[in-house]
Amino acid sequence: MRLLVLGGIRSGKSEVAEALVAGAGAVRYVATARESTSDAGWAARIAAHRQRRPGSWATEEVGDSPERLAELLTGAKAEDAILVDDLGNWLTAVYDGGGDLSDAPIAALADAVRSCGAGLLVLVGPEVGLGVLPATEAGRAFADASGLLNQRVAAACDGVALVVAGEVSWLRGGDLVQHAGAREAAAAAEPAAARTPEPEPFVFDAAGAGAVLSTADGGDTLSFSPGMELPLPDESTAHEAAERLLTLRLNGAGLGGLVPVVRFAGGVQGRPDPRPFQQPRVLVLRGDRTGGFAAGDSAEAADRRLDEVVEGTGTLAMLAASAGASVQAIDCPSAGPAELHDALDDTGVDAALTLGWRLADAAANEGVDLLVLGACGAGSDAAAAAIVAVLTGAEPAALLGRVVDASGFVDDAAWIRKIGAIRDARHRIRSRSREPHVMLSMLGGGDIAVATGVVLGAASRRLPLMVDGPVAIAAALVARDYGAQTRHWLLMPDHGDNPTVKLAADVLGAAPLLSLRLALGEGATALAALPMVNTALTIAAATPVRAPEAPADAAADDGLSEQERIEVEIQRVVADSPTAEMPYVKPSWED
């Protein structure tokens, strides 16, 4: 767990941070201040901090070597508890030591915090942005750098607290810890035999190679209700990632339509130079239906597609291998005819949501940095169209695409039966609630319920999600009613010209990046686009920044009017053009 404690001078931030690690036993205290023999007041502050530390704590002094802080964090072990006090002194040591005055040391430290393997890491930072603007250039530079440092480290932490007058306000992650020191003090006073052990990460027993998971593997059922508080991507780093592209030494006009990819990755990764996704995972959901929703679809065809996923054959498996993605197959609960009665009961919905949540949670624990949702169930397109039609008021006939049978021919009779079943189902539930749990029970079925749990779980673990088909987009629409933050973690490579996906994506504000119009099954478009997404991120991260160039004759421009400056600049551009020295060739019509 990584925590950042911010506060002003004498706010009590150090005492709060010390209380957070008090119950951890052996603590490594990393002191970042540089000692001074000429400043008695500063020496007294350092002495007070030393006197307050327990004798069992090991102290690491990095004031004279600030670069050691990142090395200590990246080399930490799971049993370590580390307290860093404070980031302001570290920043001062970096700048006063004649080191790199760019943003590079800040980005490197944020990366070290993000990759720190310590069981508990608490960092203390000064909040200098609440006072007046410093009068000196050095003061303003430090305030700007300190604010940027706090943003970067906060994005890499699980929880952020602000301390004012000794009072703690958790800006994020307050559910991870109680009031500073309260939990530790209670644990210390409680007999060891009576203490409740910390919950261990959930592990799927059947998650080996070639295994197919189901709701039976989801463990104890969790509870879901609207109004969930979920995190948001870092909007400031997303903006900085897009702005940074303007400073790169790129050939041509830039990344064009892939700029939103860099912006999205900057927000979900919490860094202005986002990296390519290294460990993507595809979750392939199979949930069949009976009744009119499944008209023209074959359960045998769904079985075959799921078998291909498990065996590593077929289109989806080949695309996953090409993109370097792992694949997990999930057999979701089957659903009854929604035109006659509810597709799932409440217990089935809870179990499916729990399974989806734990799939995302387990993926995050295993280091997965991107999820892709795929689906192959019979009748899933009709169920997704029904949900989108009910939640948006659209006409089902305008949402459901053509039905293509196993031989590749369009089956208009099956399409008519599907539309009739959707209209009958919508009529059956016309007077019932549109609450998300009820929607999944009435129309969704097992695969859409599991997908909804995946969307919620991914957002809770700050895990981005690529969606490209009707099951995933319908689940995202339902998940929005559980927690509105979920839509900000979605990346849509292409809607494939599917009317259900196009409408729901428009409602969610998920703009497609491409227009490939692939029809290879849900999840295939995302996997086909993933290498291009990673290429854009590689270019954005690896391309050097342009060095500012001052014109040699800048002094000659002094005293010119604005219009004269524009004319001079145009002349420079023309002079620098590759065609400036080309000889004039007389065209034939001038003869």
Side-chain angles (χ1 to χ4, degrees):
M1 181 166 57
R2 299 177 292 271
L3 304 174
L4 174 63
V5 180
L6 298 172
I9 299 173
R10 295 296 189 188
S11 62
K13 60 184 182 297
S14 293
E15 289 86 347
V16 170
E18 291 165 7
L20 284 169
V21 300
V27 176
R28 295 174 65 187
Y29 185 99
V30 183
T32 61
R34 303 175 71 183
E35 296 194 56
S36 173
T37 57
S38 60
D39 190 339
W42 184 246
R45 282 176 177 265
I46 294 177
H49 274 261
R50 287 173 175 167
Q51 186 176 6
R52 199 167 60 222
R53 297 172 208 157
S56 60
W57 290 9
T59 301
E60 302 270 2
E61 301 279 356
V62 298
D64 293 328
S65 303
E67 67 279 359
R68 286 187 56 221
L69 178 55
E71 298 173 3
L72 288 172
L73 296 182
T74 54
K77 300 179 180 179
E79 62 270 18
D80 290 340
I82 300 177
L83 171 58
V84 179
D85 195 358
D86 77 354
L87 297 178
N89 290 326
W90 173 84
L91 188 63
T92 301
V94 170
Y95 285 2
D96 286 354
D100 190 351
L101 300 183
S102 70
D103 297 342
I106 293 175
L109 181 61
D111 287 343
V113 171
R114 187 176 289 106
S115 61
C116 180
L120 177 62
L121 171 63
V122 179
L123 305 107
V124 181
E127 180 48 70
V128 300
L130 301 179
V132 297
L133 187 67
T136 65
E137 182 179 354
R140 290 190 294 271
F142 178 81
D144 290 343
S146 181
L148 180 64
L149 176 61
N150 288 345
Q151 290 184 46
R152 294 285 188 274
V153 174
C157 287
D158 302 304
V160 181
L162 178 65
V163 182
V164 179
E167 297 296 325
V168 185
S169 297
W170 285 97
L171 308 179
R172 172 164 52 80
D175 55 328
L176 300 176
V177 292
Q178 299 177 5
H179 187 275
R183 183 172 62 182
E184 289 78 7
E190 186 180 11
R195 295 177 190 171
T196 303
E198 292 291 330
E200 297 182 358
F202 184 84
V203 177
F204 286 100
D205 293 333
V212 179
L213 298 175
S214 68
T215 51
D217 302 306
D220 295 336
T221 302
L222 304 176
S223 177
F224 299 85
S225 60
M228 296 176 67
E229 294 186 7
L230 299 169
L232 284 167
D234 190 329
E235 182 60 30
S236 63
T237 54
H239 176 73
E240 290 177 29
E243 290 295 314
R244 182 176 175 274
L245 292 177
L246 302 177
T247 69
L248 301 183
R249 198 164 63 237
L250 295 170
N251 295 327
L255 294 178
L258 293 177
V259 170
V261 169
V262 180
R263 194 184 196 284
F264 173 83
V268 299
Q269 295 182 15
R271 56 187 303 162
D273 54 344
R275 301 299 195 256
F277 297 108
Q278 298 295 320
Q279 296 189 57
R281 172 170 293 176
V282 190
L283 301 178
V284 183
L285 312 179
R286 183 269 176 93
D288 293 333
R289 291 160 181 80
T290 58
F293 278 25
D297 296 338
S298 167
E300 290 75 16
D303 283 336
R304 186 185 68 253
R305 288 195 290 268
L306 193 67
D307 289 341
E308 290 175 347
V309 169
V310 174
E311 296 167 1
T313 60
T315 303
L316 196 68
M318 288 188 290
L319 287 170
S322 176
S326 60
V327 182
Q328 205 165 34
I330 300 94
D331 195 7
C332 306
S334 297
E339 67 271 28
L340 302 179
H341 55 71
D342 287 356
L344 283 180
D345 57 22
D346 289 342
T347 302
V349 172
D350 289 335
L353 287 170
T354 298
L355 175 60
W357 178 283
R358 288 193 163 132
L359 285 167
D361 191 52
N365 290 337
E366 295 170 25
V368 172
D369 55 5
L370 176 71
L371 286 177
V372 177
L373 273 178
C376 62
S380 58
D381 58 343
I387 287 178
V388 174
V390 170
L391 292 180
T392 64
E395 169 59 38
L399 295 178
L400 188 65
R402 307 296 292 271
V403 177
V404 180
D405 60 23
S407 59
F409 290 96
V410 173
D411 190 341
D412 288 333
W415 182 87
I416 293 173
R417 291 198 300 274
K418 283 178 179 281
I419 293 298
I422 296 173
R423 289 176 173 170
D424 289 344
R426 192 165 66 165
H427 180 77
R428 179 181 63 82
I429 64 172
R430 63 190 182 281
S431 61
R432 294 176 62 181
S433 169
R434 297 305 186 253
E435 188 264 341
H437 196 282
V438 178
M439 287 296 302
L440 293 174
S441 175
M442 293 186 301
L443 300 172
D447 51 357
I448 296 180
V450 171
T452 302
V454 170
V455 175
L456 295 171
S460 74
R461 294 301 305 270
R462 298 178 167 271
L463 195 58
L465 187 68
M466 289 185 80
V467 297
D468 65 5
V471 169
I473 202 68
L477 203 58
V478 175
R480 178 199 59 172
D481 294 335
Y482 280 111
Q485 304 90 338
T486 53
R487 67 185 184 89
H488 296 283
W489 297 94
L490 304 178
L491 180 65
M492 171 166 284
D494 186 14
H495 51 53
D497 220 21
N498 184 298
T500 300
V501 180
K502 289 171 68 174
L503 177 60
D506 186 56
V507 172
L508 292 170
L513 303 172
L514 307 169
S515 182
L516 301 178
R517 297 188 179 183
L518 296 181
L520 300 174
E522 185 159 355
T525 300
L527 290 173
L530 183 53
M532 185 178 295
V533 168
N534 277 340
T535 297
L537 296 177
T538 300
I539 293 173
T543 303
V545 177
R546 290 195 307 268
E549 298 180 2
D553 54 347
D557 293 349
D558 293 342
L560 298 179
S561 67
E562 184 64 26
Q563 181 61 35
E564 290 171 333
R565 289 178 185 275
I566 294 175
E567 293 175 357
V568 169
E569 184 62 28
I570 292 174
Q571 292 172 5
R572 286 177 182 154
V573 171
V574 172
D576 293 340
S577 171
T579 62
E581 303 299 327
M582 293 179 61
Y584 175 74
V585 178
K586 184 177 180 180
S588 58
W589 61 80
E590 291 187 7
D591 293 335

